[in-house]
Every structure is written in C-alpha cells, then in structure tokens.
Amino acid sequence: MSFAVPCILVGIMYVLLTLFVLPKLIEKEEGPNTKSQIIHSFQNALVRNYNLIILGNSGTYRGINPDIINIPSYNFSHDNDTYNQLYYKLIWLEQKNKKFKYLVLGVDYFQFSFISDTRNYLYSPLFDIRYSEDYPEQNCWEEFIARTNVFNFKRVGYLLNVFKKKQNLIFQKENGQYIRPPKETKDMKTIVSINRLPIQEKYFKMILDNCSKNEIEVFLCMLPVRKKVLTNYKESEIKEFNDFICSYINNGVHFLNYSFQDGWNPEDYTDMIHLNAKAADRFSEQLNDTINKIANRNN
C-alpha cells in the first residue's frame, strides 16, 4: 500500500508534466506543435488580406514563400494535407467570405494515394459536417493520444535540452510558410505510392469545379523533385500521372510542372523531399514570374 501511493503520485506528476510543461519545452526545441500551427494558420487566413491562396501538403507549406509573389498571397498549406482536406479548407474560406482570384494548388506524385486522418481532432470542428463522413467513427482513446502524446516517453528527453542554448530555426511565418532546418536524410524510408485513390480524385475535381464556379484561376504546381525520389517510380507511371493532371488543363487551370527541372541539388533540400528556406525563396521567384506572365496574359 505504501509503495502504491508514491507510484500513483509519480504517475500523476508525469501526466501533468506531459500535458502542461512538456508541450512548451518541445515547442522551444521543435518549433510550434501541430495544434499551434493549425490554429495560427486558420487565424491568419482570416485576418490577412490576399488575392492568391496556396493550398497543399508539406511540399508547398515549406517550399513556397508568399512574400516573394507579387500578388498578395497567403500559404494555407499544412503537412500531410490531402485533397479532401484542401477542399474543405476552400469551403471554410468561402463560408468566411474570404475572396481571392488565384489558387496555387500543390500536386505531387503521391498526394492522391492516401487519406490523412491524423489531424481530424483539429479539422473536424472547423470544417463542414460532411468532412467527417469520409472517415469511420474515430476512437476517442486514439484521439486523446493524438491530442496529448502523453505516453510517448521519448519526449521526456526534451527536458535534457531545455538548458541548452540553441538557436530555434523552426518557425511558422505570419504569411503561412513553415520553416524547418535541414535533417540528415540520405534515403527514402518509405516509398509512397503513385496510385490514386478515387476519393482523392473526386475531391481534386471538386476543388477545380468550385474554383471554376467562383472564377478563381488555378495553378496546379509540382515543385522540383530530387532525382533519387523520381527513380522510385516507373517512367510509364509518371507519364500516366502527368497525363491525368493535364486532362484538367483549360483556360482557367494551368499545370506548372517543375518536377524534372534541372539546377536543384541535394543541398537545396532539408530532407529527401522538402526545399530549404533559401531554395524555397529561389523557387518562389520562378513561380512568381510564371504566375504573373499567365495572369497578365489573361487580363
């Protein structure tokens, strides 16, 4: 009995530490957590003025700097966002009466291949009720773990770093772009499928239909891809994928495919797939030039 009481007290202290102290320490070490990123992303999407919105996954989230685009822009991307989530972001903006003329929609060779659910505990309260219909009933216990990460004992290691003087290079800009320093990544740990799920194809088309209805000009943008990543896919698979995207091109939808562009080196990436901040600025300059040429031609 006497042994049980200290164990219970230690357990309570650990849970309190994990819930209220560790998140602050981790944010100093790792930058803003997922919840903080999403909250600030939606808040800034409401208060900022822009005529171009950027939607996509981590590639566009880190790889496009809105400040370099001449048209007032905001980066509303986030890690692992798939087209169903991007569609409901678009609907959310519409419901909030946010008007804009241009959309840069991220495209890559694997974004159609899965349906992301790790952020549903944050997205579901924000999105239209129809969003939740695409997911099976969620387990409340799993949601609690996702919210708190309370049982990830590895995170206690962050306590050891709290007194270290380390410049925090991980941050989220007010323009929506997320900046992360390089990681040592030599090989792809997981080869993500190039196959497309019907549900993501459906939402991809719904995004384009919504933009057509609201007279929003769309730039489907595929960022530069490292050659080592491209070798994971067959040439026939890449051709079929690009043909699929090209089937949606019209006067209001443009495909800007930089995936095979030369001039990008491993030093331009933070890991196997994400451009670093300096390379993102360089890419954004190219993107800005192309968007302005097309926009001016169409006006």
Side-chain angles (χ1 to χ4, degrees):
M1 191 75 174
S2 59
F3 178 73
V5 173
C7 288
I8 292 172
L9 291 175
V10 169
I12 293 172
M13 289 177 62
Y14 174 74
V15 171
L16 292 175
L17 184 71
T18 303
L19 292 177
F20 301 107
V21 179
L22 272 180
K24 298 296 182 183
L25 300 179
I26 291 170
E27 189 162 339
K28 288 183 179 180
E29 180 72 15
E30 274 199 342
N33 61 32
T34 298
K35 182 178 180 180
S36 177
Q37 290 176 50
I38 289 177
I39 288 174
H40 284 95
S41 180
F42 278 78
Q43 287 176 342
N44 286 333
L46 279 184
V47 301
R48 291 180 68 90
N49 295 318
Y50 45 84
N51 205 24
L52 181 152
I53 197 83
I54 301 160
L55 286 174
N57 57 20
S58 58
T60 55
Y61 190 29
R62 306 178 197 181
I64 300 178
N65 182 357
D67 292 338
I68 291 177
I69 298 175
N70 291 343
I71 302 167
S73 305
Y74 181 69
N75 194 330
F76 201 25
S77 307
H78 189 70
D79 291 349
N80 288 337
D81 273 1
T82 45
Y83 292 107
N84 60 313
Q85 292 160 331
L86 301 182
Y87 171 76
Y88 285 107
K89 279 188 173 182
L90 201 61
I91 297 301
W92 183 84
L93 291 169
E94 188 175 316
Q95 291 171 342
K96 299 297 182 180
N97 295 315
K98 294 297 291 186
K99 306 290 184 182
F100 47 93
K101 188 174 180 181
Y102 304 101
L103 166 66
V104 172
L105 181 62
V107 176
D108 58 41
Y109 291 119
F110 54 82
Q111 195 170 357
F112 287 86
S113 66
F114 65 101
I115 181 165
S116 177
D117 62 0
T118 56
R119 287 144 178 80
N120 281 356
Y121 70 98
L122 296 168
Y123 280 154
S124 293
L126 292 166
F127 289 158
D128 187 289
I129 193 171
R130 292 171 295 171
Y131 171 75
S132 300
E133 295 175 2
D134 291 324
Y135 297 88
E137 186 175 346
Q138 286 194 300
N139 184 295
C140 294
W141 178 250
E142 290 178 356
E143 182 172 334
F144 172 75
I145 298 298
R147 284 176 181 268
T148 63
N149 218 354
V150 68
F151 296 108
N152 187 343
F153 294 100
K154 291 181 180 179
R155 311 202 97 181
V156 179
Y158 287 104
L159 288 171
L160 303 176
N161 295 325
V162 68
F163 297 110
K164 291 182 179 179
K165 291 183 179 180
K166 180 179 178 181
Q167 186 179 5
N168 185 7
L169 299 176
I170 307 173
F171 60 96
Q172 184 180 22
K173 292 183 177 179
E174 289 188 5
N175 67 15
Q177 186 189 18
Y178 190 65
I179 303 297
R180 193 175 185 92
K183 293 181 178 180
E184 291 296 328
T185 306
K186 296 181 180 179
D187 298 301
M188 292 278 284
K189 293 182 179 179
T190 304
I191 306 304
V192 186
S193 173
I194 198 172
N195 295 327
R196 301 186 299 275
L197 295 179
I199 188 172
Q200 298 300 356
E201 289 186 346
K202 179 187 78 170
Y203 276 107
F204 181 74
K205 184 177 186 301
M206 288 170 66
I207 291 172
L208 299 182
D209 289 344
N210 179 273
C211 289
S212 176
K213 179 188 74 172
N214 292 299
E215 298 183 341
I216 298 170
E217 193 164 2
V218 181
F219 299 91
L220 303 175
C221 181
M222 187 178 291
L223 278 70
V225 180
R226 290 182 62 174
K227 290 182 174 59
K228 186 175 284 189
V229 175
L230 291 170
T231 57
N232 292 305
Y233 306 119
K234 298 177 182 177
E235 288 186 13
S236 58
E237 291 176 326
I238 291 176
K239 182 181 184 305
E240 193 277 332
F241 181 91
N242 288 330
D243 288 346
F244 166 78
I245 299 298
C246 287
S247 69
Y248 289 95
I249 293 176
N250 55 48
N251 289 336
V253 179
H254 317 278
F255 184 26
L256 311 182
N257 187 351
Y258 298 91
S259 62
F260 282 89
Q261 188 181 54
D262 293 328
W264 301 94
N265 303 307
E267 294 75 22
D268 293 318
Y269 295 81
T270 63
D271 49 32
M272 285 301 296
I273 58 177
H274 301 110
L275 292 174
N276 61 36
K278 187 175 180 180
D281 287 352
R282 182 155 57 94
F283 172 73
S284 299
E285 290 174 359
Q286 290 189 56
L287 182 63
N288 175 65
D289 290 343
T290 303
I291 288 175
N292 277 282
K293 286 177 183 177
I294 295 174
N296 292 334
R297 186 178 68 204
N298 291 346
N299 289 333

